[in-house]
């Protein structure tokens, strides 16, 4: 049956098995099966499926399809490097706030997983989005902190807006700022202030 085929093809983990999973995805109308295929491909950790993941981002309808787009965004961020950042940034530019808060939040998280310096300006711009009661902003803050080990979202007393200096800080410090991966996380209390 199809669910067992997905598990078997995931275990095989070759270019051919990944192509078979994409073919199975395209022939299926079962959203649960399609979700499991996208998750399997994302977990297989191969960049040969980036164009497939990017093709899933546009559109919106059911919750299951939304989860598929979120998994695709996370896979693009993890596997795509600078090119993945470009794909996600392009999608954000085209879709803007039409993309759901959950998808924009997943993109913010995905941008931190590729350790690309190109992600920081995209995250800074994504923070402006406050139409979702803070979901996207919280993901942006966490991603910026994860990438740089600096606390971007702490407001000093008497400072009404802490985001305004971010682009200037990044322009001054981009060349010398180390970026970290999710495997190098530190406690939030150990992050350095942005102005240090």
């Amino acid at each position: 049956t199809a669910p067992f085929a997905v598990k078997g093809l995931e275990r095989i983990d070759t270019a051919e098995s990944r192509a078979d999973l994409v073919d199975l995805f395209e022939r299926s109308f079962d959203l649960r099966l399609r979700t499991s295929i996208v998750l399997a491909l994302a977990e297989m950790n191969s960049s040969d499926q980036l164009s497939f993941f990017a093709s899933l981002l546009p559109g919106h309808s059911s919750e299951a399809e939304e989860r598929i787009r979120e998994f695709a965004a996370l896979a693009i961020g993890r596997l795509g490097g600078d090119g993945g950042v470009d794909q996600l940034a392009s999608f954000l530019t085209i879709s803007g706030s039409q993309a759901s808060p959950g998808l924009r939040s997943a993109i913010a998280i995905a941008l931190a997983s590729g350790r690309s310096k190109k992600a920081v300006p995209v995250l800074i711009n994504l923070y402006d989005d406050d139409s979702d009661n803070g979901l996207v902003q919280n993901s942006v803050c966490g991603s910026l902190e994860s990438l740089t080990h600096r606390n971007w979202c702490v407001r000093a007393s008497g400072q009404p807006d802490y985001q305004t200096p971010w682009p200037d800080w990044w322009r001054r410090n981009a060349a010398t700022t180390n970026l970290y991966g999710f495997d190098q996380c530190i406690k939030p209390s150990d992050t350095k202030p942005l102005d240090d």
Side-chain angles (χ1 to χ4, degrees):
T1 64
F4 290 119
V6 171
K7 289 291 180 194
L9 290 168
E10 180 181 7
R11 286 186 183 151
I12 294 170
D13 196 5
T14 62
E16 293 82 16
S17 72
R18 292 188 292 273
D20 288 342
L21 283 168
V22 170
D23 184 56
L24 183 59
F25 177 92
E26 290 172 352
R27 288 187 288 123
S28 175
F29 294 102
D30 180 346
L31 290 176
R32 186 170 289 156
L33 178 64
R34 294 180 104 195
T35 300
S36 71
I37 291 169
V38 172
L39 186 55
L41 285 166
E43 289 177 350
M44 291 165 91
N45 210 22
S46 174
S47 61
D48 62 350
Q49 300 304 320
L50 281 174
S51 61
F52 168 72
F53 292 127
S55 75
L56 300 177
L57 292 178
H60 54 287
S61 37
S62 72
E63 184 178 329
E65 289 171 313
E66 189 66 16
R67 293 297 293 159
I68 288 171
R69 282 188 284 283
E70 290 172 13
F71 288 140
L74 292 169
I76 290 169
R78 187 179 64 204
L79 304 172
D82 287 347
V85 172
D86 292 341
Q87 285 180 321
L88 293 171
S90 175
F91 172 74
L92 288 170
T93 300
I94 292 167
S95 70
S97 61
Q98 292 177 345
S100 72
L103 179 55
R104 292 191 317 274
S105 177
I107 289 172
I109 293 166
L111 287 166
S113 64
R115 293 178 64 175
S116 169
K117 289 194 175 192
K118 292 176 90 173
V120 175
V122 177
L123 285 164
I124 289 170
N125 290 332
L126 188 56
Y127 185 85
D128 284 336
D129 182 353
D130 64 356
S131 61
D132 56 15
N133 297 320
L135 176 67
V136 174
Q137 289 179 339
N138 287 337
S139 295
V140 167
C141 288
S143 290
L144 287 169
E145 185 175 297
S146 177
L147 274 171
T148 64
H149 287 184
R150 292 188 173 272
N151 196 327
W152 293 68
C153 298
V154 170
R155 183 176 289 144
S157 59
Q159 183 182 17
D161 176 18
Y162 53 83
Q163 191 224 352
T164 303
W166 289 359
D168 291 334
W169 185 91
W170 182 246
R171 274 191 291 280
R172 286 190 320 271
N173 297 286
T176 59
T177 299
N178 289 331
L179 294 186
Y180 303 91
F182 284 141
D183 57 337
Q184 300 166 309
C185 288
I186 60 173
K187 292 186 236 173
S189 59
D190 292 339
T191 59
K192 299 176 188 173
L194 193 59
D195 56 0
D196 262 1

